[in-house]
Amino acid sequence: MSRLLTLPEAAAQLRRPVNTLRHWRYVGTGPASFRMGRRVMYREEDVAAWVEAQRQAERVPA
């Protein structure tokens, strides 16, 4: 089972303000998230996959 991150934990891992992650969630960008009761949660592997996708998108072809 993947480790679950709260909104503040995911923001800290991404080094972004919590409000940025809230905005990303609202507009449908950013790492995959879900609600567990009243809390927004992120799977650590989804955050890592999103970071990798962003890194790949930034690569400039040679």
Side-chain angles (χ1 to χ4, degrees):
M1 178 188 254
S2 179
R3 181 170 171 244
L4 297 179
L5 303 172
T6 62
L7 181 61
E9 290 170 338
Q13 188 167 338
L14 293 169
R15 297 181 182 163
R16 296 287 180 256
V18 169
N19 283 338
T20 298
L21 270 69
R22 285 186 179 130
H23 178 72
W24 287 346
R25 182 173 163 80
Y26 177 75
V27 298
T29 61
S33 61
F34 63 96
R35 283 204 173 269
M36 183 180 288
R38 299 179 86 186
R39 289 183 136 180
V40 173
M41 304 294 287
Y42 295 83
R43 290 183 352 174
E44 192 170 40
E45 64 191 36
D46 290 339
V47 172
W50 182 82
V51 168
E52 181 61 22
Q54 298 304 301
R55 189 183 74 78
Q56 292 292 328
E58 289 293 317
R59 294 183 80 182
V60 178

